[in-house]
Amino acid sequence: GCETGTVMRAFRPPPGASMGKPQGQYSWKSCAVAVLEQLSANLRLQLQHHVESYCRTAGIREVTAETVFLSKPDENVLFP
C-alpha cells in the first residue's frame, strides 16, 4: 500500500450578517439565536418551526439554547 500522509483541512466560511431574532409570539434569547445563526436559511426555518411547536406543547414562552436542545430536533438539522 501507499500512504501519502496528507492532512485535509477545511474552513468554515465567515458568518454572514445576523438574521436577527425570529419574529412571533415567542421570545428568543441571544443564546438560542446563536444556535439558529449557525444554520442555512432553510434549516434555520425548519428548526425554528420545530422549536416553536415544542414550546406550544410545553407551554414555554421564552426560547433559550437549552429549549432548542430539549425540543429534540433532528440531528441532521443541527449538524448538517
Side-chain angles (χ1 to χ4, degrees):
C2 179
E3 194 171 325
T4 61
T6 60
V7 176
M8 187 171 154
R9 297 184 344 170
F11 298 96
R12 268 185 81 122
S18 174
M19 294 186 166
K21 291 186 178 184
Q23 301 298 313
Q25 63 187 32
Y26 299 98
S27 171
W28 285 75
K29 295 296 186 185
S30 59
C31 57
V33 173
V35 173
L36 287 180
E37 287 182 343
Q38 300 300 316
L39 305 173
S40 65
N42 62 338
L43 291 178
R44 174 188 163 107
L45 192 59
Q46 185 178 346
L47 181 60
Q48 180 183 339
H49 288 303
H50 173 80
V51 172
E52 289 179 352
S53 174
Y54 169 76
C55 289
R56 260 190 304 283
T57 318
I60 298 172
R61 305 290 293 160
E62 188 174 87
V63 181
T64 63
E66 181 181 8
T67 309
V68 172
F69 290 99
L70 284 175
S71 72
K72 299 181 180 174
D74 181 4
E75 62 190 36
N76 294 321
V77 171
L78 281 178
F79 308 105

